Structures are given as C-alpha cells and as structure tokens.
Amino acid sequence: MLAAQRRDLLIERLKTEGRIVAKDLAAELGVSEDSIRRDLRELADAGLCQRVYGGALPVSPATADYATRMAVSVAGKERIAKRAAALIRLGSTVILDGGTTALALAKALPIDLEATIVTHSPTVAAALVTHPKVEVFLIGGRLFKHSAVTCGAAAAEAADGINADLFFLGVTGVHPETGLTTGDSDEAAMKRTLAKRAADTYVLASSEKIGAASPFTVLPLSDVAGVITDAAPDEPTVQALGKLGVSVLGVSPS
C-alpha cells in the first residue's frame, strides 16, 4: 500500500472508528509502527487529526475561527442552550464561558430572569444588556480572539473573587480518554480557574465536539456535573461517557 493510500485509510478509520491505535494498524497493514506514526504526524500537521499517546483521535471542527463557528450546528447549539438555561435558578450566580454555544445560552435566558451572570466574554455580556434583572459582571484581561474571551493573569486574578453556583464550560473536544480539551493553553488555564470558582460545572458540547480532541486538557470528565449535548444517545462516545459514570444531559431533537 502506498503512503498516500495509507493516509486515506487513516482518515477513513478516524471517521468510522473514532480513533487509531498505531501499533494495531501497523500489524494489520504489515508495515512498521514508525510508518504509521509518520503518517499521523503528517495528518496532524495538515490539521486532519489530533495525535495522542499510541495513536490519534479526530480533530475538533471547533478549532475554526469564531465567525466560521457561528454557522456550525446552529440548531443543536440552540437546543443545548435551552436545556442549560433550565438549570439556572432564581437568584443564582452563574459563570458563562465564551464561545458560540455560550452565546446561544445567553440569548436563550428568559427575559425576566433574576440572576447574576459572570463572564469573560464581551459578546456574552453584550447579549445580556437587554435582560433588565440580570446583573452582569465582565472579567477583563487580554482578549483571546478565537473564542472572544479574556485570558491571562489579570483575568485569572479577577476570577479568584467569584463564588458561583454554576459554570457553563465550553470546550472543543469531549472524549472518554482525553477528557475535556481545547486548542489554546492559556484559554484552558482560564477555564480551569473558572471551574474552581463554581459549585457545579456543566459542559456545553454540540455534537461535532463529541469524540474529538484538541491539544490542551481543560478538566478530566470526573470534575464536571454533566455534559449537555445534542449528540444521539446511541452515539459511541456518548455511550462510552455513560459507562464512565458521566452524566449526559441530552436535548430534544426539536
């Protein structure tokens, strides 16, 4: 099998099986493990997979720029937002992450909601301007444009003074092996800081993020109260999460 044919096969296996184990595939194809690893490096360099120890996982589509992501899984994000909004209680303090799903959640909040919303996303804060009974606290810092959020030392220091009931976390990958991941180390650190300031953390994960992975770990799955997703209950990753004891909150298809 030619190298180009192997790479086509690797891409197909990622789509159908959700992972590649280099050792197993090398034995199946009768080539060296180094050849498979070299193929995986080339695919990773092209943004077509996420390398992990022993092989590779599907790369997350959520690593695209903010404007592109606004048009991805719009209906699914709206359903997730509706499910998440139902968890917010009168008078509670809630941290909202940045990103397109968190923005959908901000827009889904009832106009008469009485709550305190803390966010490091200027776009999320702006979406709450028309909610007269929501107190909005915007965390400042260096703007990370990919997700339209603030990060860095100033943002982390401001977050240390928060005590919240809920944190709605956005990630680019949810996988039973790699946990919750994102594409930037500073953003991952900021998300961990915010998670420590809330009693419960729920993950907002549209279906394209389920089974995908990104380079930087945010949290292990054991640290969250649940994953809210529009992925089907029989999706292999969703089933794997359930077997690990992760609470998966599905949403209505309509």
Side-chain angles (χ1 to χ4, degrees):
M1 181 180 288
L2 298 176
Q5 292 174 310
R6 283 202 312 271
R7 287 192 288 273
D8 289 342
L9 176 62
L10 294 176
I11 293 171
E12 182 61 27
R13 289 291 177 88
L14 284 170
K15 291 179 180 177
T16 58
E17 299 182 9
R19 64 166 299 162
I20 289 172
V21 178
K23 181 179 180 180
D24 293 347
L25 189 58
E28 177 187 335
L29 299 180
V31 299
S32 70
E33 193 172 340
D34 283 343
S35 294
I36 298 298
R37 288 176 175 168
R38 183 167 56 250
D39 292 339
L40 292 176
R41 282 196 296 271
E42 292 177 1
L43 290 179
D45 289 343
L48 298 174
C49 77
Q50 175 61 51
R51 296 182 67 210
V52 295
Y53 180 78
L57 298 173
V59 70
S60 173
T63 55
D65 63 83
Y66 192 87
T68 299
R69 298 196 325 274
M70 284 293 292
V72 175
S73 299
V74 175
K77 290 173 183 176
E78 290 175 350
R79 294 195 296 271
I80 291 168
K82 183 177 179 180
R83 182 69 177 86
L87 298 174
I88 300 176
R89 298 290 176 251
L90 178 69
S92 59
T93 298
V94 179
I95 303 172
L96 282 189
D97 203 350
T100 56
T101 312
L103 180 58
L105 172 53
K107 293 178 179 179
L109 296 179
I111 196 66
D112 60 348
L113 175 68
E114 294 183 33
T116 299
I117 303 294
V118 181
T119 184
H120 61 142
S121 169
T123 56
V124 168
L128 295 170
V129 168
T130 56
H131 287 65
K133 298 181 181 179
V134 171
E135 289 286 343
V136 181
F137 287 85
L138 178 60
I139 297 173
R142 179 181 63 85
L143 185 65
F144 178 56
K145 295 181 180 179
H146 175 269
S147 300
V149 295
T150 57
C151 296
E157 184 177 356
D160 281 339
I162 301 166
N163 291 295
D165 301 292
L166 299 172
F167 172 38
F168 289 104
L169 166 67
V171 296
T172 58
V174 179
H175 195 280
E177 295 180 18
T178 56
L180 305 167
T181 54
T182 195
D184 180 83
S185 60
D186 287 343
E187 187 184 21
M190 187 63 190
K191 290 174 185 291
R192 284 193 295 273
T193 297
L194 293 172
K196 291 177 182 178
R197 308 312 307 171
D200 289 309
T201 294
Y202 286 90
V203 182
L204 307 173
S206 47
S207 58
E208 77 276 5
K209 300 169 186 175
I210 299 296
S214 292
F216 299 99
T217 298
V218 177
L219 292 171
L221 289 161
S222 57
D223 282 6
V224 301
V227 175
I228 307 174
T229 183
D230 62 326
D234 59 354
E235 200 278 337
T237 298
V238 171
Q239 293 187 331
L241 293 176
K243 291 178 181 178
L244 290 174
V246 178
S247 176
V248 178
L249 286 67
V251 301
S252 171
S254 59

